[in-house]
């Protein structure tokens, strides 16, 4: 039976939030802006204290993390986006380190309370179902566990299939608002990123199943794949670069074992074209992050190929991806979920791709990780490393062999210094053997 909808204003809806509550926000492009603004109005009026804000990551403004709300809201996200990075690094906001696959478990096992879930959904269909659209991730778990669920019915939210479809009975309070979803802003790949994309593409076999994020390097990789055949998608997110390959018949999902023929993701961020593409499209399955990022499920797809990035890699292959020294920059995310899952898959490949240098010209391949830097992918998990100077496979290689291989793909201006650092670390034998 279809639930009757009674709309209230955003200001009325957020009155259910009490001081000390934990509030979950739907993520990425689908952050419920009108509810966030209403909640901040209550904060400015002095009505709330110590409300904790959780989400995977949001695009657009994040006013609740501003210093003006110190003592009122405390952001504890599962990932650090650009909109909260300054606040996190200055201590006015914080970050919960967690594998992306387990963000949903935080709610379901009770490690993290959820008093109020604030979400966005598309209008109801004739069966009384709405869709979470571009943001399933940990939001589905938050809905299941929350004391109160507030939903913005938004005509701009696409009617995505998969576990994005939920019955209206799970929602307690309805608000109407047609705020456009936040679009992603991409830059064109530069020469370095194009070279990285070319080396990554050479590692991707016909029939492979892909995971990669968004940004210049993933777009550069996808741009090199138009000659491939029967690729599949099982990922935590995808963006515009995938659409062209679908339209060309390159991405078919024909060789997938799980969800054959479908593009599987847990959240999306792209242009309006991406949001239109997933609308009422049975080819796309938007799933719970506990499914998309489960290494056991990932490993079932043959030739599973994961491409992730890094802040820094040391000469033994340790991958720092969430911080620059003691400054938290992003998060654990799904990197290890997919590195581990891909390495277990038949003919699977786990790839870490990054420029050889920072924008300041510092080598991203370093003798040691900066003090305070966090190791996301361990030296035992790492396989392929790619820079604009080539690709090397560290799997099964000793420490000294790894150092020599990594120096081969470091920027030429830093190779001599890295070689000297490796000699000091490993001793005279280091220079007496070749790989």
């Amino acid at each position: 039976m279809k639930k009757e909808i009674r709309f209230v204003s955003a200001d009325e809806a957020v009155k259910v939030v009490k001081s000390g509550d934990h509030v979950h926000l739907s993520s990425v492009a689908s952050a419920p802006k009108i509810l966030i603004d209403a909640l901040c109005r209550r904060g400015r009026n002095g009505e709330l204290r110590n409300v904790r804000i959780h989400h995977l990551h949001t695009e657009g403004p994040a006013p609740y993390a501003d210093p003006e709300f110190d003592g009122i809201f405390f952001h504890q996200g599962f990932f650090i986006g650009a909109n909260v990075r300054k606040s996190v690094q200055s201590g006015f906001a914080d970050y919960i380190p967690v594998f992306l696959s387990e963000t949903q478990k935080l709610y379901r096992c009770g490690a993290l309370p959820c008093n109020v879930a604030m979400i966005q959904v598309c209008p109801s269909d004739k069966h009384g179902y709405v869709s979470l659209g571009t943001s399933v991730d940990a939001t589905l778990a938050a809905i299941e566990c929350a004391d109160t669920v507030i939903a913005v019915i938004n005509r701009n939210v696409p009617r995505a299939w998969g576990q994005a479809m939920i019955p209206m009975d799970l929602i307690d309070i309805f608000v109407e608002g047609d705020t456009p979803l936040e679009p992603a802003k991409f830059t064109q790949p530069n020469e370095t990123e194009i070279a990285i994309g070319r080396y990554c593409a050479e590692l991707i076999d016909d029939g492979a199943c892909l995971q990669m994020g968004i940004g210049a390097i993933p777009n550069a990789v996808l741009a090199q794949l138009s000659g491939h055949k029967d690729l599949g998608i099982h990922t935590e997110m995808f963006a515009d670069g995938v659409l062209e390959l679908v339209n060309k018949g390159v991405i078919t999902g024909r060789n997938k074992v799980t969800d054959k023929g479908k593009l599987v993701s847990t959240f999306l961020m792209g242009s309006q074209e991406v949001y239109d593409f997933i609308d009422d499209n049975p080819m796309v399955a938007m799933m719970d992050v506990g499914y998309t990022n489960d290494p056991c499920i990932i490993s079932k797809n043959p030739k599973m190929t994961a491409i992730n990035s890094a802040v820094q890699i040391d000469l033994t292959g340790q991958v720092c991806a969430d911080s620059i020294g003691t400054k938290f920059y992003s998060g654990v995310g799904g990197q290890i979920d997919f590195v581990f899952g891909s390495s277990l898959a038949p003919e699977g490949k786990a790839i870490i791709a990054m420029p050889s240098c920072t924008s300041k010209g510092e080598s991203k391949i370093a003798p040691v990780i900066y003090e305070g830097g966090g190791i996301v992918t361990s030296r035992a998990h790492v396989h392929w490393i790619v820079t604009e100077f080539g690709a090397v496979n560290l799997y099964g290689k000793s420490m000294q062999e790894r150092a020599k291989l990594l120096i081969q793909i470091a920027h030429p201006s830093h190779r001599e210094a890295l070689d000297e650092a490796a000699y000091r670390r490993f001793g005279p034998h280091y220079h007496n053997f070749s790989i």
Side-chain angles (χ1 to χ4, degrees):
M1 181 177 178
K2 185 175 179 179
K3 183 175 182 176
E4 181 181 356
I5 299 179
R6 186 177 69 85
F7 289 107
V8 301
S9 69
D11 290 295
E12 182 69 23
V14 300
K15 287 181 179 179
V16 299
V17 179
K18 305 181 297 298
S19 292
D21 274 356
H22 290 252
V23 175
H24 176 87
L25 304 178
S26 56
S27 303
V28 197
S30 197
K33 295 179 182 178
I34 63 172
L35 297 180
I36 292 170
D37 290 343
L39 192 64
C40 288
R41 284 193 289 272
R42 284 198 67 197
R44 290 190 181 96
N45 291 338
E47 300 175 33
L48 296 169
R49 298 291 297 175
N50 196 31
V51 174
R52 296 175 187 246
I53 307 292
H54 308 290
H55 55 71
L56 185 66
H57 156 65
T58 63
E59 289 294 308
Y64 44 81
D66 290 346
E68 71 166 298
F69 290 113
D70 188 29
I72 299 171
F73 302 122
F74 193 44
H75 167 275
Q76 294 176 311
F78 308 144
F79 193 87
I80 303 168
N83 58 356
V84 297
R85 189 169 293 135
K86 183 177 179 181
S87 294
V88 170
Q89 292 178 352
S90 60
F92 289 103
D94 209 350
Y95 150 62
I96 298 175
V98 59
F99 297 127
L100 197 62
S101 60
E102 294 189 357
T103 54
Q104 49 77 33
K105 186 178 178 180
L106 291 178
Y107 292 126
R108 288 177 171 137
C109 79
L112 197 64
C114 187
N115 301 106
V116 181
M118 296 183 177
I119 66 173
Q120 287 200 126
V121 297
C122 73
S124 169
D125 64 19
K126 64 182 180 181
H127 302 293
Y129 278 75
V130 293
S131 176
L132 295 169
T134 62
S135 176
V136 180
D137 47 77
T139 296
L140 182 58
I143 293 167
E144 295 170 357
C145 299
D147 300 324
T148 304
V149 178
I150 307 172
V152 178
I153 304 291
N154 187 338
R155 296 182 185 280
N156 292 303
V157 173
R159 185 176 177 269
W161 289 37
Q163 290 175 294
M165 298 295 292
I166 62 170
M168 293 173 64
D169 289 345
L170 295 180
I171 299 167
D172 301 298
I173 301 172
F174 296 91
V175 176
E176 192 170 26
D178 291 332
T179 306
L181 299 189
E182 194 71 25
K185 301 174 180 66
F186 301 112
T187 58
Q188 290 298 315
N190 58 31
E191 289 184 9
T192 295
E193 292 155 345
I194 291 171
I196 293 169
R198 187 179 305 115
Y199 283 118
C200 288
E202 290 173 357
L203 295 174
I204 297 172
D205 300 319
D206 287 341
C209 186
L210 304 180
Q211 174 264 335
M212 60 183 71
I214 64 169
I217 290 177
N219 284 345
V221 176
L222 292 166
Q224 305 283 339
L225 299 178
S226 59
H228 280 62
K229 298 178 181 178
D230 291 327
L231 299 178
I233 298 291
H234 183 107
T235 186
E236 61 200 24
M237 64 183 300
F238 68 81
D240 293 65
V242 165
L243 269 58
E244 184 176 353
L245 295 180
V246 172
N247 293 333
K248 289 182 176 179
V250 174
I251 292 176
T252 65
R254 192 170 291 139
N255 292 334
K256 292 179 68 179
V257 170
T258 63
D259 307 297
K260 187 179 290 288
K262 294 185 182 296
L263 282 73
V264 174
S265 187
T266 194
F267 65 89
L268 300 174
M269 187 172 70
S271 68
Q272 186 61 44
E273 186 179 359
V274 173
Y275 307 148
D276 292 341
F277 172 76
I278 72 165
D279 184 48
D280 208 20
N281 187 346
M283 185 182 184
V284 179
M286 297 297 296
M287 305 296 284
D288 187 297
V289 71
Y291 178 84
T292 60
N293 284 54
D294 183 339
C296 294
I297 292 171
I298 293 166
S299 68
K300 291 180 181 178
N301 284 309
K303 298 183 180 180
M304 184 71 212
T305 303
I307 302 174
N308 289 277
S309 193
V311 171
Q312 194 177 45
I313 298 175
D314 76 5
L315 288 176
T316 72
Q318 293 187 114
V319 177
C320 175
D322 69 348
S323 56
I324 302 174
T326 58
K327 295 290 187 181
F328 291 109
Y329 188 81
S330 54
V332 173
Q335 181 172 126
I336 197 64
D337 296 332
F338 277 95
V339 165
F340 189 45
S342 296
S343 66
L344 294 177
E347 300 181 70
K349 293 176 184 174
I351 301 168
I352 303 294
M354 66 175 192
S356 64
C357 292
T358 68
S359 59
K360 296 179 180 180
E362 299 171 352
S363 180
K364 296 185 74 168
I365 296 173
V368 294
I369 300 297
Y370 290 151
E371 183 178 359
I375 304 302
V376 170
T377 296
S378 76
R379 58 171 71 100
H381 284 105
V382 76
H383 284 216
W384 286 94
I385 306 292
V386 175
T387 73
E388 71 271 28
F389 295 104
V392 294
N393 190 357
L394 304 186
Y395 186 65
K397 299 297 189 292
S398 70
M399 297 301 176
Q400 296 182 42
E401 289 171 328
R402 288 165 177 244
K404 285 184 176 289
L405 288 169
L406 287 167
I407 291 168
Q408 287 179 5
I409 61 169
H411 193 281
S413 63
H414 293 287
R415 290 176 189 172
E416 183 176 349
L418 289 170
D419 198 53
E420 289 175 359
Y423 176 80
R424 289 193 300 271
R425 179 168 187 173
F426 299 118
H429 176 71
Y430 171 75
H431 280 164
N432 296 332
F433 85 99
S434 58
I435 54 174

